[in-house]
């Protein structure tokens, strides 16, 4: 892995170079082992929270971790194109539009002791803007090269805060073209419902049950690119104890191993179908 500026990253994409890099402000990573018709994203994987914000933040480190999506990058690490956030969503949320990306409160609790100075806002929003410059360059290149592509937008959610039974996997589809991509969504749901967890973890997958896919990452790509499907894919945090902040690496490994083959198969079927249909 190398450290590159946003401009250098974009130039490499435009030249179809393979590389693995972290942005020079350490806000996101991008790996391109080869140019393919699909990509994986983990925009909430990050936990970094820059030190100049610590004293002003009312949320504890654990409270921030609780709302982040740890290990979502790990689950798709074997795939050829992976983009992931390094910073906590509490600094700026990559899955929100720029005007709402910096929280004033989070999950019912005020975030800052004092309102953030403009210079702090500006620093965070520059990171947000840089990420989306790279996303735009990446999807532009994939559509140019393959005509169509699919992006697996990986997230997790806190199932223990729900008062009803919720699925292990949830797909959010309210902001995509379901008429065009409905079969692709259903086939992905079925694949996820067969994840080979241990006996004490049920493998269920539903569409728009807990979340509907209203994130900015999905909306940004969908609104700016006509031939890219973004599938908002949420896994319940059965891979950790969300109340005790204990990770279960064996469960993460199960997901990663399964997606290593099944995600690739799904992406290949998607490409064959839509390449022919236009």
């Amino acid at each position: 892995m190398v450290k590159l500026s946003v401009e250098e990253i974009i130039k490499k994409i435009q030249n179809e170079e393979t590389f693995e890099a972290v942005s020079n402000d350490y806000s996101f990573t991008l790996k391109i082992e080869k140019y393919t018709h699909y990509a994986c994203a983990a925009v909430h994987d990050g936990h970094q929270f820059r030190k100049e914000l610590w004293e002003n933040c009312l949320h504890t480190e654990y409270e921030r971790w609780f709302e982040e999506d740890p290990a979502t990058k790990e689950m798709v690490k074997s795939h050829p194109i992976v983009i992931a956030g390094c910073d906590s969503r509490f600094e700026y949320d990559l899955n929100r539009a720029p005007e709402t990306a910096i929280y004033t409160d989070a999950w019912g609790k005020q975030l800052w002791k004092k309102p953030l100075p403009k210079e702090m806002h500006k620093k965070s929003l520059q990171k947000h803007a840089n990420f989306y410059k790279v996303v735009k360059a990446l999807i532009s290149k994939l559509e140019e090269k393959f005509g169509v592509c699919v992006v697996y937008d990986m997230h997790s959610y806190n199932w223990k805060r729900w008062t009803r039974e919720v699925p292990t996997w949830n797909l959010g589809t309210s902001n995509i073209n379901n008429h065009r991509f409905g079969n692709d969504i259903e086939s992905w749901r079925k694949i996820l419902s067969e994840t080979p967890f241990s006996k004490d973890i049920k493998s269920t997958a539903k569409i728009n049950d807990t979340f509907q896919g209203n994130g900015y990452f999905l909306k940004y790509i969908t609104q700016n690119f006509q031939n890219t499907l973004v599938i908002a894919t949420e896994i319940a945090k059965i891979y950790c104890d969300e109340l005790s902040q204990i990770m279960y690496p064996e469960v993460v490994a199960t997901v990663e191993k399964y997606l290593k083959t099944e995600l690739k198969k799904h992406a290949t079927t998607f490409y064959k179908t839509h390449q022919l249909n236009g």
Side-chain angles (χ1 to χ4, degrees), residues 165-185:
E165 186 173 349
V166 291
T168 310
W169 295 96
N170 178 84
L171 305 182
T173 68
S174 63
N175 288 286
I176 64 170
N177 186 337
N178 285 277
H179 176 74
R180 183 181 181 189
F181 298 122
N183 290 338
D184 305 291
I185 295 296

Side-chain angles (χ1 to χ4, degrees), residues 17-273:
E17 296 179 42
T18 57
F19 64 97
E20 184 172 7
V22 61
S23 62
N24 59 2
D25 60 4
Y26 293 99
S27 62
F28 69 91
T29 60
L30 174 60
K31 177 189 72 170
I32 304 179
E33 292 177 335
K34 65 176 180 178
Y35 286 81
T36 62
H37 51 272
Y38 75 100
C40 298
V43 299
H44 283 158
D45 183 76
H47 187 59
Q48 292 176 169
F49 191 69
R50 67 179 194 266
K51 192 171 183 180
E52 62 188 348
L53 300 174
W54 290 3
E55 288 189 8
N56 194 31
C57 183
L58 291 166
H59 282 62
T60 64
E61 186 273 340
Y62 165 72
E63 287 173 319
R64 297 196 299 272
W65 176 88
F66 185 79
E67 304 295 351
E68 296 159 354
D69 298 348
T72 46
K73 178 184 177 182
E74 180 80 5
M75 293 173 188
V76 292
K77 67 179 182 180
S78 62
H79 295 283
I81 303 177
V82 181
I83 188 167
C86 298
D87 293 328
S88 172
R89 66 193 303 183
F90 283 80
E91 184 175 331
Y92 58 96
D93 193 333
L94 287 170
N95 214 27
R96 289 192 180 187
E99 56 269 21
T100 58
I102 298 176
Y103 304 160
T104 54
D105 59 86
W107 289 270
K109 179 180 176 179
Q110 183 180 327
L111 182 56
W112 309 110
K113 296 174 185 176
K114 298 178 181 179
L116 282 185
K118 286 185 178 180
E119 64 187 61
M120 295 295 102
H121 266 265
K122 185 176 180 181
K123 188 178 292 189
S124 294
L125 289 179
Q126 185 60 58
K127 294 181 180 182
H128 186 284
N130 286 342
F131 179 84
Y132 278 96
K133 287 177 184 176
V134 171
V135 169
K136 184 177 181 180
L138 175 62
I139 303 302
S140 295
K141 174 55 67 176
L142 297 184
E143 279 204 0
E144 171 195 316
K145 192 169 178 63
F146 299 101
V148 294
C149 70
V150 55
V151 178
Y152 299 88
D153 179 19
M154 303 299 295
H155 295 270
S156 65
Y157 76 96
N158 300 297
W159 67 274
K160 290 184 178 180
R161 67 167 26 132
W162 292 79
T163 56
R164 61 173 174 86
E165 186 173 349
V166 291
T168 310
W169 295 96
N170 178 84
L171 305 182
T173 68
S174 63
N175 288 286
I176 64 170
N177 186 337
N178 285 277
H179 176 74
R180 183 181 181 189
F181 298 122
N183 290 338
D184 305 291
I185 295 296
E186 174 53 28
S187 63
W188 184 230
R189 185 206 64 76
K190 187 174 186 303
I191 287 168
L192 295 174
S193 73
E194 297 171 356
T195 308
F197 293 114
S198 59
K199 292 181 180 178
D200 57 332
I201 299 176
K202 292 172 65 176
S203 188
T204 57
K206 295 186 178 181
I207 296 171
N208 297 328
D209 183 87
T210 50
F211 299 94
Q212 287 70 47
N214 291 316
Y216 180 71
F217 180 76
L218 180 152
K219 288 181 178 179
Y220 176 86
I221 295 175
T222 302
Q223 291 168 5
N224 286 282
F225 297 94
Q226 298 300 310
N227 294 306
T228 298
L229 168 63
V230 183
I231 310 180
T233 303
E234 302 249 5
I235 184 172
K237 287 182 179 174
I238 43 82
Y239 62 90
C240 66
D241 185 330
E242 62 193 68
L243 302 181
S244 301
Q245 200 174 356
I246 298 171
M247 297 296 293
Y248 303 150
E250 79 282 9
V251 181
V252 176
T254 294
V255 175
E256 191 274 330
K257 182 179 179 182
Y258 185 63
L259 295 186
K260 185 174 184 177
T261 56
E262 298 304 316
L263 187 153
K264 184 178 179 179
K265 286 180 185 177
H266 183 266
T268 300
T269 300
F270 169 90
Y271 182 60
K272 288 178 179 178
T273 300

